[in-house]
Amino acid sequence: MSDLINTTIIIATVASGIRLATPFLLASLGESIGQRSGVLNLGVDGVMLLGAFAAYYTVLKTGNLFLGIMIGLILGALIGLFYAFITVNLQAQQGVSGIGIYLFGLGMSDLLFQKLVGTPRPIMPFRILHIPLLSDIPIIGEMFFDHSLIVYVAFLLVPLLSLIINRTTYGMNIRAIGENPEAADSLGVSVGGIRYSALIIGNMLAGLAGAALAIELGIFQHNLTNAMGFIAIALVYFGAWRPLGVMAGSLVFGVVAAIVLQCKTLGLIPRSASDLAAMAPAIITILALVVVANRFRQPTALTKPYVRGG
Amino acid sequence: MMEESGSVPVLEMRGITKHFPGVVANDNVSFNLLKGEVHALLGENGAGKSTLMKILFGFYPPDAGQVFLNGHAVNLTSPAHAIANGICMIHQHFMLVPTLTVAENVALGLRSSRHPLTDLAAVTKRIQQLSDTFGLQVDPLAYVWQLAVGERQRVEIIKALYRDASILILDEPTAVLTPKEVDDLFQILRQMAEAGRSLIFISHKLHEVMALSDRITVLRNGCVTGEANPCDTSRAKLAQMMVGREVKLAPDKPHTQICEPRLEVKDLVVEGDRKTDAVCGLSFQICGGEVLGVAGVSGNGQRELAEAICGLRKPKTGQIKIDGQSVPSGNAKAAREAGLSYVPEERMRDGAIADFNIFENFILLNHGQKRFCRMGFLRFTPIHQHSRTLIDEYTVKTPNLETPAKNLSGGNIQKLILARELSSDPKVLIAAQPTRGVDIGAAEYIHERLSHQRTNGTATLVISEDLDEVLALSDRIAVMFEGRIMGIVNREEASRERIGLMMAGVDPDSPPADYCPSPE
Amino acid sequence: AAGKMLKIAIVAPSASNDLAFTQSIVDGINAVKKERPIDLAVTDGTFVVEDAAAAIRDYAKKGYDLVIAHGSQYGGSLKEIAKDFPKTAFAWGTSADTFGLPNVSSYEAASDEGGFVMGMMAAALSKKGSIGVVGPIEVGDAKLFVDGFVAGAKAQNPKIKANVNYIGSFSDVALAAEAARAHMAVGADVLTGTAQMVVGAIGAARSKGVAWFGTQADQTELAPEIVVACQVYKWEVILRQILADMDNGILGGKKYAITLANDGLMIEFNPKYKLPDTVTKIGKKAVMDIKSGKIKPLK
Amino acid sequence: MNNLKTKMISWTIPSCAVLAALIIGAIMLSALGANPIKGFGTMFASAFGNLDGLASTAVKSIPLLLVGIGICIAFRASVINIGGEGQMVMGALLATIMALAFPGLPAIIFIPLVLLVGLIGGAAWGAIPGALKAYFNVSEILSTIMLNIVAVQFMNFMLRGPLIDPGEIERGTRIPQTARLPEATDLPLLLEGARMHLGFLIAVLAAVAAWILLWRTSLGFRLRSVGLNPAAARYAGIPVKRSIIMALAISGAMAGLAGAILVFGSESHRMVTDGSSTGFTGSAGFNGIVVALFAGLHPLWSIPSALLFGGMLVGANALQRAVQVPSALIIALNGLIVVFVVSSEYFKRRVQTVQTDPKVQKTVSDSDKNQESDNLKD
Ligand SMILES: Nc1ncnc2c1ncn2[C@@H]1O[C@H](COP(=O)(O)OP(=O)(O)OP(=O)(O)O)[C@@H](O)[C@H]1O
Ligand SMILES: Nc1ncnc2c1ncn2[C@@H]1O[C@H](COP(=O)(O)OP(=O)(O)OP(=O)(O)O)[C@@H](O)[C@H]1O
Ligand SMILES: [Mg+2]
Ligand SMILES: [Mg+2]
């Protein structure tokens, strides 16, 4: 046993967990901003898929990774704009319209891939960015400071979003609108405007999550995300709508998956039980929801369209 | 205090009209406000006071009419716009975000000095200054959900003070305050008026209006019915203007035999939505054939009392008995099975399902009974028959049985609910605001039905803000104030004066003098 | 009859350009198409078994001469459908079962053979004595290949560590990539894998410059700098036989397999990869030995 | 007259939404270099143009219709059931286990039995999120999504392990599928020469039953009242929590029945998985939501609605063959239709409030008043 589980493996597993967590983290950070402002978006997975394809295709054609990331972000912003229009202005049922966005993204990304690319062709992923000094720290350095740029970006977004939500006027407006839009409106805060911006930012992050996934893997494929977006939504509940909580949730999800994977590699999990092991994240999430649902309330106005005086 | 009468009013609203589906909330209303003036708006529930103020605050666009500020026509299209024009509003319902701190609630919507970051330290300091100047005790760092009702009201006032409004609208700010808090508030408001700010003050409490305001405008059914000066009017005159009719005499009340108590309530303590005790240890009994009227200003625990008796709200402690049998608490079904009926205050929220049609609403309670339901299937022939009988008996005006309840007028919905509730011949009937928003004809009919039920031996609890109604219907009258019964008086000994004072929480033996500000 | 235009339909689960399972059969037919007139119809991406069944029945009804059900999960449906169309030829792969029906041929790939060859080369190539395998689900063709690969590696170096990771999905590219990384973390310096989700694993291997052995199709273009060799399926070898039988009025009942011996399986070396000559020799010798029957991979 | 007008509005507006989505679909087709008229024409012809096409369309619409019926019931009670996928899987699994356990029964008993078991399996799986919502306040939207994942993995486990066809183990191929189920459980075909089977009849009957349930029984009455106004329902003594669980259980039951029919009406007469999340259901658990919404949450209108969407799915394959456009287009188009139909609710509401506005309403309500005495006499 002791020779099976050594420091290298632990380092690799943690590093792998961090990598696996990254797209979840980006997507659920985005979703949490939208939900904080009172809008549920079940279409995250669709946005991720479209973002992934857009980024992949851009990089394939131009070889420019940053352009790919930009296109993923822009695409997310456009979908966010559209989603804001139907949920804020048209007051569409949020649960169901999100499913529509998901189906659209699922079909559209596949369609475009088949028509524009066809045979999967690889793109060059981000190079590993060793952070000077920090990556030289034994163990810790390899675990945390030996990743690609996008991983650092995702994790740096956590304190940044915490700061924005808790310390800026904009963040305060988002929090107020998710709880009591009427009160915010009565003080002259534009409920629609804030929701638009929150949804645009949120969907940009979903697009970025997809772009990061495609670029990290260097490839695109039909349903590349494998319903990651849905898990990202659950992680928002898991993390009680707070960036730090969402990060914890993503890390738990990623590291559990990495551990399961590593155990399979080492033959510690019988092959017949691997399907049952795959249920673990979903079941853990439901259990977490049971605990969280009564402890942390969701934003009071979540899923409720705001109509003045209505 | 007032400036010379020739000056332009700071605010003028001309010919304001506003429709909502089914109602005309404001009908050609004109209203003006002078600098440094406290102008009161009076009116019954639904008279259109809040609507007028929300139009002024940019919440709703008016269908017709124009707002002038300092003589200039303005189009206030949003609260942000109104705030920019120096208008602030303290709403009838709290406009606070419970999950934010006091300081954050105050800072909301303002541009921070450290934009884009918030500058809560500066806000906190300023709040402290304000609370020192005006004697408003509040902790800026506390979360709003932690605050008591009175404190929340103070936060609302601080929000307005902080914005340094030149026009401040206060929509029923005293409804939830204790007399001491009201006194403190009035002190602050006078201070503000003296500093040259103009205030619009809305209240149902006549003595408050008399005490605070320089001018009074009365609304009824969306129309202005008059303007008055507090020094040369009386409460009775104001009431007349508000209600618009002579006080009716009580319907015939044949003496009914008082037998055993049918409803007994003992030591009832009920928590309100704000997690404080809304009903604090009530005990009373109602006999068969007797009507106990509960008078009082809304929000003094009447609603919680009714809901607790009906099993919709679980009381903290206390006992409820119907015909001597204890009713399990917090169980609506059990209460109904024990013979209780309830005409709720909010009829479209609790009493009827707007999208259900007439007959579906009729069988809401007893659709499971054998006569309406066999083996799980509804029996439409008897249901329709039953519904038609009730429609005829209660003269509910409807095109047909399939009409959704939402298409009925308010009075007819109330008749529908009453018909349903009385059709089971209840042992105990709780009727909350049974004629609110109902026209005179329908109200009379409803009163008749309630008396009829009394003759049939039902023990009735009538909860109403309408004093005339309470006087007309009741055998005994209980006055509720802050969750307690100020006293129970027999109808014969009850006078409007006495009840009115008890409603204001004043001991009837030492009535306060009307306050009229003396000119300086 | 060889000059007559044949109508052939393929029903397959993944995309027809997946550089893996589905592409191999489409390429196979296209190779035969150069030799004789064929009207080809492809319904790909039918991962829903019932949709595949509907498509198979539809083609049979429309009078296609040969309907190829390219997916082992389609067998259950084909068994029922084929009975209703005795005049239509069906082919089912990868499998070795014709259900005893005279109009169903089965075809499979002896992918354990190529697996064995590449396993031997992998073991010889590995400096650290550790290799890794990324598999989808432990079934059919994938299992055969993986088992052959592990057996080959052990045959070359009995002390080799050959870790196998079935990730539990044919489609989760991200998980496949992490599985490859997990292998590399425990020291694997040569990797292989099978099914369409390995594109992720190849990407991970490429980023660390770890050697890769491919199967089902030539994956060189995915990562020219690390792909050593690929086992390529040449279904045209058996498709020719099936069509020849059909020319003679035999609609099925036979089992076919592509093997190294019948040139249905080929080991394609990547000319750009600088493979030590010793390793190339080991590979070529293993191919000869399997062809001659000297080595029987899974026996 | 007023009623008729409202009905017309409630149909024209979503139809316009679908039309708008189809126009976008046509634009996409042209952009892909295909002739949209030919494309949609092929789709329509292959789905509705002949008996075979109609039969395939009918078969394809069965799970859509059943899930859709369940969605009608759940949404009417104000619960959003996105767990149709998992409920279908669990219903199918339980029914399959049942069928494998009692091979000897005659068809006349066996078919109702296995379908009932499928129904129960779905109901149980639906009741879980119901209970989580009623007692733990867990959003059913999320718990149903998570339970979908759990159900699919459980199916994979069962079909690769305990339920696998022993023949697969023998041959060593280990295809994750059960043995062929007893012939007595094969759903009989309804049309000679076409593949339409008993399942379609069952689904149509279920739609009628759901309509009866919603508008003719006391249970349906309670579910609808909880959905329209939970406060009033509570006030009337209706158990709101139990009704929520009941609504999700019934909704799950319909999905479970759909899953069972999918197995026993399949070509292979066995349960197969490809390991993916929608390989078994073909996304019917999601598409059923569209069907129900399009039908205005009415079980009977769900029948044509399901046939329409079933036809689209059948046509999608033809589209792929005829104009070389991947069937993924149809998934995208479905998504657009969902978004457009849900968004069009806004215009429906707008038109309806304008109708009830007294200013606009005056003449209508006057004529209504004249009618009222006549209406009340009979
Ligand atoms: N948003 C709305 N939609 C529809 N009707 C409304 C709306 N707001 C108010 N009303 C109706 O307009 C009328 C006037 O309401 P308003 O709130 O102005 O009365 P009020 O005088 O403030 O009464 P109260 O003393 O009860 O506060 C009422 O009949 C009310 O039901
Ligand atoms: N949407 C509607 N469809 C059909 N009839 C309607 C609709 N809305 C209102 N009505 C009818 O219009 C008439 C007037 O309604 P309204 O609510 O103005 O009554 P009202 O005069 O205020 O009566 P009440 O004093 O009893 O409330 C009623 O007979 C009502 O049934
Ligand atoms: Mg008001
Ligand atoms: Mg009215």
Side-chain angles (χ1 to χ4, degrees):
Chain A
M1 212 55 174
S2 56
D3 62 315
L4 275 179
I5 298 171
N6 54 35
T7 29
T8 1
I9 290 177
I10 292 172
I11 290 169
T13 308
V14 174
S16 158
I18 289 174
R19 268 192 308 271
L20 282 174
T22 302
F24 289 120
L25 177 59
L26 284 168
S28 46
L29 281 177
E31 176 72 10
S32 69
I33 296 174
Q35 291 204 11
R36 263 295 174 84
S37 79
V39 185
L40 172 73
N41 175 14
L42 286 186
V44 184
D45 203 53
V47 184
M48 284 176 74
L49 279 167
L50 285 170
F53 175 75
Y56 166 78
Y57 188 64
T58 310
V59 176
L60 192 66
K61 287 289 156 193
T62 64
N64 188 332
L65 289 176
F66 288 95
L67 193 63
I69 293 284
M70 285 312 294
I71 297 287
L73 283 169
I74 291 171
L75 202 92
L78 289 177
I79 300 173
L81 191 70
F82 175 69
Y83 193 64
F85 174 69
I86 63 171
T87 52
V88 175
N89 296 76
L90 300 186
Q91 297 153 27
Q93 237 260 21
Q94 290 167 15
V96 183
S97 52
I99 294 287
I101 300 269
Y102 162 63
L103 289 175
F104 177 74
L106 179 66
M108 200 63 194
S109 60
D110 189 21
L111 178 69
L112 291 172
F113 174 70
Q114 288 191 39
K115 273 290 155 187
L116 298 177
V117 185
T119 298
R121 274 184 285 153
I123 54 175
M124 209 52 206
F126 276 110
R127 270 208 307 278
I128 300 300
L129 204 70
H130 304 276
I131 304 281
L133 299 177
L134 288 177
S135 63
D136 297 335
I137 306 170
I139 302 179
I140 304 282
E142 267 184 81
M143 276 186 195
F144 300 114
F145 301 106
D146 219 7
H147 292 286
S148 72
L149 180 65
I150 204 84
V151 176
Y152 303 119
V153 169
F155 280 86
L156 283 176
L157 276 174
V158 173
L160 180 67
L161 287 178
S162 277
L163 179 87
I164 289 176
I165 289 180
N166 295 314
R167 294 266 178 276
T168 66
T169 322
Y170 176 67
M172 195 169 75
N173 289 343
I174 289 185
R175 281 182 290 147
I177 279 167
E179 282 302 324
N180 189 348
E182 199 174 16
D185 188 22
S186 77
L187 290 175
V189 178
S190 159
V191 177
I194 300 280
R195 285 198 172 156
Y196 260 86
S197 65
L199 285 174
I200 289 173
I201 295 174
N203 281 284
M204 278 170 86
L205 288 182
L208 178 63
L213 186 69
I215 290 180
E216 276 286 296
L217 294 170
I219 204 83
F220 185 84
Q221 221 188 27
H222 157 74
N223 194 14
L224 183 80
T225 55
N226 242 297
M228 268 182 187
F230 288 99
I231 292 165
I233 295 167
L235 290 176
V236 173
Y237 285 72
F238 188 104
W241 296 271
R242 285 150 182 81
L244 218 62
V246 163
M247 181 180 86
S250 307
L251 279 175
V252 167
F253 209 89
V255 170
V256 167
I259 290 173
V260 169
L261 207 58
Q262 194 61 261
C263 289
K264 278 203 226 166
T265 307
L266 297 173
L268 296 178
I269 293 180
R271 282 180 202 158
S272 58
S274 63
D275 299 316
L276 294 181
M279 286 182 201
I283 290 179
I284 289 173
T285 309
I286 292 180
L287 293 179
L289 287 176
V290 169
V291 176
V292 170
N294 275 333
R295 188 151 322 153
F296 298 97
R297 270 182 322 96
Q298 62 181 37
T300 312
L302 188 61
T303 75
K304 298 189 188 93
Y306 174 66
V307 193
R308 203 176 267 173
Chain B
M1 214 180 322
M2 267 185 242
E3 301 215 339
E4 67 272 43
S5 49
S7 73
V8 180
V10 282
L11 163 75
E12 193 177 355
M13 298 176 84
R14 271 192 220 148
I16 302 288
T17 298
K18 177 77 188 168
H19 293 263
F20 286 115
V23 271
V24 183
N26 286 153
D27 189 0
N28 195 17
V29 174
S30 293
F31 176 84
N32 66 56
L33 182 66
L34 304 176
K35 190 170 162 66
E37 175 191 40
V38 179
H39 192 153
L41 261 184
L42 259 182
E44 281 186 314
N45 292 113
K49 308 178 294 288
S50 299
T51 304
L52 186 68
M53 292 302 107
K54 284 181 178 171
I55 287 170
L56 173 58
F57 193 56
F59 228 73
Y60 303 129
D63 296 341
Q66 181 69 54
V67 177
F68 297 86
L69 289 177
N70 298 312
H72 302 289
V74 284
N75 244 343
L76 298 166
T77 51
S78 71
H81 197 184
I83 292 169
N85 278 293
I87 302 173
C88 271
M89 177 157 176
I90 295 177
H91 294 261
Q92 186 167 1
H93 309 287
F94 287 130
M95 289 286 188
L96 295 170
V97 183
T99 51
L100 299 188
T101 64
V102 170
E104 285 175 318
N105 267 284
V106 171
L108 202 61
L110 293 175
R111 201 186 155 82
S112 152
S113 51
R114 290 198 307 160
H115 190 79
L117 294 184
T118 51
D119 191 2
L120 293 177
V123 176
T124 305
K125 220 168 122 196
R126 182 82 206 285
I127 292 175
Q128 243 133 22
Q129 273 173 11
L130 286 171
S131 81
D132 289 347
T133 336
F134 291 95
L136 285 160
Q137 277 315 303
V138 69
D139 173 9
L141 300 180
Y143 282 93
V144 165
W145 59 263
Q146 298 169 318
L147 303 184
V149 183
E151 289 176 292
R152 289 183 197 205
Q153 190 62 276
R154 269 177 253 156
V155 179
E156 289 284 21
I157 294 161
I158 286 179
K159 267 162 65 179
L161 289 173
Y162 198 102
R163 281 163 177 73
D164 201 22
S166 53
I167 296 175
L168 177 60
I169 306 161
L170 298 113
D171 195 351
E172 301 196 28
T174 59
V176 292
L177 297 184
T178 62
K180 168 82 175 72
E181 285 171 328
V182 172
D183 285 346
D184 295 345
L185 174 67
F186 282 12
Q187 199 94 41
I188 296 162
L189 297 183
R190 276 188 212 107
Q191 244 175 295
M192 289 177 73
E194 272 158 31
R197 297 185 180 97
S198 312
L199 278 65
I200 303 173
F201 176 76
I202 299 175
S203 172
H204 288 287
K205 300 177 190 172
L206 295 177
H207 73 269
E208 289 178 1
V209 169
M210 304 280 277
L212 185 68
S213 50
D214 302 312
R215 216 154 33 118
I216 301 168
T217 294
V218 183
L219 281 179
R220 185 173 75 236
N221 284 339
C223 301
V224 175
T225 51
E227 207 189 288
N229 192 313
C231 294
D232 42 57
T233 187
S234 70
R235 289 198 205 181
K237 272 192 207 156
L238 288 175
Q240 178 89 25
M241 284 204 280
M242 267 168 73
V243 182
R245 57 178 149 91
E246 287 291 321
V247 175
K248 265 196 304 166
L249 287 172
D252 292 343
K253 255 190 283 180
H255 184 75
T256 46
Q257 200 183 334
I258 303 285
C259 44
E260 287 294 288
R262 292 206 103 164
L263 174 69
E264 290 170 79
V265 172
K266 220 169 153 192
D267 301 328
L268 197 66
V269 178
V270 190
E271 211 172 62
D273 291 336
R274 299 204 181 92
K275 301 284 167 218
T276 51
D277 288 351
V279 174
C280 324
L282 284 198
S283 299
F284 59 85
Q285 301 184 340
I286 310 178
C287 295
E290 186 190 30
V291 176
L292 177 67
V294 175
V297 177
S298 258
N300 276 299
Q302 297 97 319
R303 179 152 136 218
E304 288 81 0
L305 171 67
E307 288 184 350
I309 296 175
C310 300
L312 290 171
R313 195 179 275 269
K314 208 173 163 67
K316 259 176 159 171
T317 59
Q319 214 184 18
I320 293 155
K321 282 186 184 173
I322 292 178
D323 273 353
Q325 294 289 314
S326 195
V327 183
S329 68
N331 184 337
K333 207 169 174 193
R336 289 208 169 271
E337 275 161 8
L340 180 127
S341 276
Y342 178 36
V343 178
E345 174 181 343
E346 296 208 30
R347 55 187 87 112
M348 283 326 271
R349 200 196 65 188
D350 297 332
I353 296 184
D355 291 294
F356 266 13
N357 61 31
I358 306 291
F359 72 78
E360 285 175 319
N361 271 299
F362 270 134
I363 58 163
L364 202 54
L365 311 170
N366 45 12
H367 61 270
Q369 281 177 5
K370 268 223 180 68
R371 60 184 169 137
F372 297 138
C373 175
R374 198 183 321 159
M375 294 164 63
F377 288 89
L378 297 176
R379 302 169 63 186
F380 286 97
T381 321
I383 288 172
H384 287 167
Q385 222 151 35
H386 173 71
S387 307
R388 277 198 203 99
T389 317
L390 290 182
I391 283 180
D392 287 347
E393 199 180 327
Y394 288 80
T395 60
V396 181
K397 268 197 178 176
T398 169
N400 55 48
L401 286 180
E402 318 282 337
T403 306
K406 64 180 175 197
N407 287 0
L408 294 189
S409 74
N412 280 308
I413 288 173
Q414 188 69 341
K415 282 192 201 165
L416 183 155
I417 294 170
L418 201 73
R420 182 185 70 205
E421 295 297 324
L422 297 185
S423 67
S424 61
D425 198 11
K427 294 174 178 166
V428 174
L429 171 70
I430 316 282
Q433 319 291 357
T435 58
R436 178 186 280 179
V438 164
D439 73 49
I440 301 176
E444 245 165 346
Y445 183 73
I446 289 168
H447 286 172
E448 229 173 85
R449 295 304 312 195
L450 291 175
S451 316
H452 179 238
Q453 209 58 40
R454 169 177 171 271
T455 327
N456 282 1
T458 301
T460 311
L461 182 74
V462 171
I463 298 172
S464 178
E465 274 188 292
D466 181 346
L467 202 45
D468 299 326
E469 176 166 81
V470 172
L471 289 169
L473 291 174
S474 316
D475 296 301
R476 287 184 299 150
I477 296 163
V479 182
M480 269 188 91
F481 182 75
E482 294 186 342
R484 281 172 227 284
I485 291 184
M486 292 294 294
I488 300 187
V489 273
N490 286 328
R491 171 67 186 92
E492 299 79 53
E493 297 145 30
S495 67
R496 292 189 58 117
E497 227 73 291
R498 183 166 175 203
I499 304 284
L501 288 173
M502 285 164 81
M503 277 166 71
V506 179
D507 198 274
D509 300 327
S510 55
D514 274 356
Y515 176 87
C516 189
S518 49
E520 264 143 66
Chain C
K4 181 187 141 231
M5 168 77 83
L6 271 182
K7 289 176 78 177
I8 300 180
I10 299 173
V11 178
S14 49
S16 49
N17 43 23
D18 63 353
L19 279 186
F21 189 65
T22 301
Q23 180 161 2
S24 69
I25 192 78
V26 177
D27 288 351
I29 293 278
N30 281 329
V32 181
K33 209 172 166 182
K34 290 187 188 122
E35 300 152 17
R36 57 185 297 168
I38 288 174
D39 174 7
L40 175 66
V42 180
T43 298
D44 60 357
T46 40
F47 59 98
V48 178
V49 175
E50 271 308 287
D51 287 352
I56 293 169
R57 181 176 285 281
D58 194 41
Y59 282 124
K61 223 171 209 175
K62 291 222 169 84
Y64 275 74
D65 301 294
L66 171 64
V67 181
I68 302 172
H70 189 61
S72 44
Q73 65 270 40
Y74 301 158
S77 312
L78 184 69
K79 186 177 174 184
E80 310 291 321
I81 297 168
K83 287 177 198 157
D84 295 347
F85 299 94
K87 296 208 176 98
T88 307
F90 295 92
W92 174 41
T94 59
S95 155
D97 191 354
T98 62
F99 317 119
L101 291 173
N103 59 337
V104 176
S105 322
S106 72
Y107 60 87
E108 61 181 336
S111 50
D112 52 326
E113 295 184 356
F116 192 89
V117 173
M118 293 197 291
M120 286 184 79
M121 289 196 284
L125 189 62
S126 171
K127 295 199 175 70
K128 296 191 193 160
S130 172
I131 57 181
V133 184
V134 179
I137 292 167
E138 196 178 2
V139 294
D141 187 56
K143 179 171 161 54
L144 212 55
F145 171 76
V146 172
D147 290 353
F149 189 90
V150 173
K154 295 265 185 225
Q156 174 68 27
N157 174 6
K159 278 196 251 152
I160 193 109
K161 271 206 289 181
N163 292 323
V164 179
N165 196 339
Y166 285 105
I167 63 163
S169 162
F170 280 99
S171 55
D172 197 331
V173 184
L175 209 57
E178 276 317 315
R181 290 207 176 94
H183 282 308
M184 293 185 283
V186 297
D189 56 358
V190 181
L191 296 179
T192 190
T194 177
Q196 59 268 26
M197 81 298 163
V198 294
V199 288
I202 295 173
R206 187 187 188 201
S207 66
K208 293 255 160 131
V210 167
W212 176 267
F213 286 93
T215 184
Q216 291 183 333
D218 192 343
Q219 294 162 340
T220 304
E221 62 177 289
L222 278 173
E225 60 275 48
I226 57 149
V227 173
V228 181
C230 292
Q231 167 174 248
V232 179
Y233 292 7
K234 303 273 184 194
W235 291 114
E236 55 267 33
V237 172
I238 55 116
L239 286 169
R240 278 189 203 106
Q241 296 172 23
I242 292 175
L243 296 187
D245 281 345
M246 283 167 64
D247 292 339
N248 297 326
I250 301 165
L251 297 181
K254 290 194 185 172
K255 302 175 186 176
Y256 301 94
I258 45 173
T259 62
L260 289 172
N262 66 14
D263 285 338
L265 292 177
M266 307 280 274
I267 306 295
E268 304 262 10
F269 286 88
N270 174 8
K272 288 206 196 106
Y273 190 89
K274 299 212 167 38
L275 190 64
D277 281 349
T278 49
V279 180
T280 317
K281 267 186 202 142
I282 290 171
K284 297 219 158 129
K285 180 168 181 301
V287 172
M288 298 309 290
D289 286 350
I290 291 174
K291 279 187 171 179
S292 67
K294 219 165 110 187
I295 296 178
K296 296 211 185 313
L298 291 184
K299 297 275 150 59
Chain D
M1 177 205 129
N2 199 10
N3 222 4
L4 190 73
K5 210 162 140 192
T6 323
K7 278 243 166 68
M8 289 231 325
I9 286 162
S10 70
W11 268 90
T12 39
I13 289 181
S15 300
C16 289
V18 173
L19 199 69
L22 289 181
I23 290 171
I24 294 184
I27 294 171
M28 291 192 326
L29 272 177
S30 330
L32 292 168
N35 180 343
I37 306 215
K38 186 178 170 209
F40 284 132
T42 314
M43 271 182 78
F44 187 82
S46 63
F48 303 103
N50 54 44
L51 192 63
D52 274 347
L54 279 172
S56 321
T57 299
V59 169
K60 196 79 197 167
S61 69
I62 298 169
L64 299 179
L65 176 53
L66 283 169
V67 172
I69 295 166
I71 295 294
C72 289
I73 294 170
F75 280 32
R76 289 254 173 214
S78 271
V79 279
I80 313 289
N81 179 14
I82 306 188
E85 292 279 306
Q87 291 146 12
M88 282 176 77
V89 164
M90 291 313 254
L93 260 185
L94 213 65
T96 303
I97 292 171
M98 191 72 188
L100 289 170
F102 301 97
L105 294 176
I108 193 88
I109 304 172
F110 214 178
I111 291 179
L113 182 69
V114 289
L115 293 185
L116 183 70
V117 169
L119 196 127
I120 292 170
W125 202 243
I128 297 172
L132 289 175
K133 181 184 172 76
Y135 296 109
F136 295 99
N137 206 15
V138 173
S139 155
E140 76 278 17
I141 295 177
L142 285 138
S143 56
T144 49
I145 289 175
M146 289 296 134
L147 286 171
N148 285 345
I149 299 175
V150 174
V152 168
Q153 294 300 346
F154 185 65
M155 165 178 75
N156 289 343
F157 169 73
M158 292 300 280
L159 293 188
R160 280 170 203 154
L163 289 182
I164 196 170
D165 180 1
E168 291 296 329
I169 298 186
E170 228 168 77
R171 287 189 292 274
T173 40
R174 301 191 70 99
I175 298 170
Q177 62 184 20
T178 63
R180 195 206 186 285
L181 299 172
E183 283 191 18
T185 61
D186 294 1
L187 295 181
L189 297 182
L190 293 182
L191 283 175
E192 200 56 48
R195 295 295 304 165
M196 193 172 85
H197 53 69
L198 183 65
F200 185 68
L201 193 64
I202 294 174
V204 170
L205 290 178
V208 177
W211 179 77
I212 292 175
L213 172 83
L214 279 175
W215 280 283
R216 290 282 180 272
T217 68
S218 57
L219 175 61
F221 184 85
R222 285 197 288 273
L223 294 180
R224 283 189 297 127
S225 52
V226 167
L228 287 171
N229 186 344
R234 208 167 82 86
Y235 150 88
I238 292 168
V240 174
K241 286 184 184 194
R242 247 186 296 153
S243 300
I244 287 172
I245 299 174
M246 186 56 93
L248 264 163
I250 296 175
S251 185
M254 290 295 112
L257 179 61
I261 289 178
L262 217 50
V263 173
F264 300 113
S266 69
E267 292 272 13
S268 57
H269 300 290
R270 63 179 91 211
M271 199 169 171
V272 195
T273 177
D274 72 334
S276 77
S277 55
T278 53
F280 170 69
T281 59
S283 297
F286 289 138
N287 291 334
I289 300 175
V290 187
V291 165
L293 282 176
F294 187 60
L297 298 181
H298 196 295
L300 295 182
W301 282 113
S302 297
I303 300 171
S305 173
L307 285 170
L308 180 72
F309 283 93
M312 273 184 53
L313 294 177
V314 169
N317 287 330
L319 185 74
Q320 183 181 5
R321 248 170 289 143
V323 291
Q324 292 304 306
V325 168
S327 49
L329 174 77
I330 299 303
I331 298 178
L333 206 55
N334 259 351
L336 273 188
I337 293 177
V338 176
V339 172
F340 282 25
V341 170
V342 176
S343 304
S344 72
E345 292 284 318
Y346 173 75
F347 299 101
K348 213 157 105 182
R349 278 198 303 271
R350 281 262 310 247
V351 174
Q352 277 160 5
T353 28
V354 169
Q355 274 219 320
T356 52
D357 196 307
K359 285 177 291 179
V360 185
Q361 189 61 36
K362 273 275 146 35
T363 49
V364 176
S365 61
D366 284 350
S367 64
D368 279 359
K369 266 178 188 163
N370 298 336
Q371 284 169 11
E372 85 185 3
S373 46
D374 308 11
N375 284 331
L376 287 179
K377 263 171 209 154
D378 45 45

